[in-house]
Amino acid sequence: MGQSTSSFKDGLMEAIPNLRAFAKSLIKNADKADDLVQETVLKAWAKQDLFEKGTNINAWLFTILRNEFYNLMRKRGREVQDSEGIYCNNIAIHPAQYGSLDLHDFRVALNLLPDDQREAIILVGASGFSYEEAAAICGCALGTIKSRVSRARLRLQELLDMDGHYHYGPDVSSAHIALRSFA
């Protein structure tokens, strides 16, 4: 251990009581304050080559401690205290892969529709146009667009083997997960 490392270590050791007092004033919990001081000392030791010899080591250490405290507070702001697992049990979601598979099946079924029905259902169902606007875009009567959309919906239900409202949303095996989050 060289002379500069020894003097750095001495300065670090001398500062620990003041660092503990400062940490306690920030956190109000002795154990957590000690943890904060330990993190500060470890970080300072690892970065001692960045300390400029001849400058105030206490100011440098207090800055590290304060920055560690702010990091800890930011981290705590993102964490949820859930030791009983209650929150975790209520945030279960429908698995994403099913949505991807359903979308793939829908695209295949959509491509099986006749062109006029596919165009009508995309204009009204996906693009948000009114029946009147879709009729004007397609250059046909309002009743024709309504008929095409209706036939397209029925054909999609048939192709996707959907015969009731229970086919929308989570499947039977994962429905309990989604329902539990609304309970």
Side-chain angles (χ1 to χ4, degrees), residues 83-103:
S83 57
E84 301 292 320
I86 295 168
Y87 180 76
C88 184
N89 286 335
N90 288 324
I91 62 169
I93 61 170
H94 184 63
Q97 66 269 28
Y98 294 136
S100 297
L101 294 172
D102 290 343
L103 183 59

Side-chain angles (χ1 to χ4, degrees), residues 120 122-135 137:
I122 288 173
L123 287 172
V124 173
S127 299
F129 288 105
S130 68
Y131 286 110
E132 292 82 8
E133 293 168 327
I137 291 169

Side-chain angles (χ1 to χ4, degrees), residues 4 7-8 48-60:
S4 65
S7 63
F8 180 83
Q48 65 182 292
D49 56 318
L50 298 176
F51 176 69
E52 295 179 27
K53 190 174 179 182
T55 61
N56 186 344
I57 193 168
N58 286 326
W60 188 68

Side-chain angles (χ1 to χ4, degrees), residues 20-133:
R20 284 190 80 235
F22 184 51
K24 279 184 186 179
S25 73
L26 293 173
I27 295 185
K28 312 279 191 269
N29 176 306
D31 292 334
K32 291 183 181 184
D34 287 342
D35 291 344
L36 181 60
V37 171
Q38 180 179 355
E39 278 300 312
T40 301
V41 169
L42 288 172
K43 190 164 268 185
W45 188 259
K47 302 289 183 177
Q48 65 182 292
D49 56 318
L50 298 176
F51 176 69
E52 295 179 27
K53 190 174 179 182
T55 61
N56 186 344
I57 193 168
N58 286 326
W60 188 68
L61 292 170
F62 274 68
T63 301
I64 294 172
L65 187 136
R66 185 196 69 211
N67 290 341
E68 284 297 306
F69 173 72
Y70 288 145
N71 289 338
L72 180 66
M73 292 300 104
R74 277 192 291 275
K75 182 180 174 187
R76 278 191 189 162
R78 294 184 300 266
E79 291 178 346
V80 175
Q81 187 68 10
D82 188 30
S83 57
E84 301 292 320
I86 295 168
Y87 180 76
C88 184
N89 286 335
N90 288 324
I91 62 169
I93 61 170
H94 184 63
Q97 66 269 28
Y98 294 136
S100 297
L101 294 172
D102 290 343
L103 183 59
H104 176 265
D105 292 345
F106 177 77
R107 286 181 176 156
V108 169
L110 188 64
N111 286 328
L112 294 174
L113 293 177
D115 292 341
D116 60 340
Q117 289 179 18
R118 184 174 51 251
E119 179 182 45
I121 195 124
I122 288 173
L123 287 172
V124 173
S127 299
F129 288 105
S130 68
Y131 286 110
E132 292 82 8
E133 293 168 327

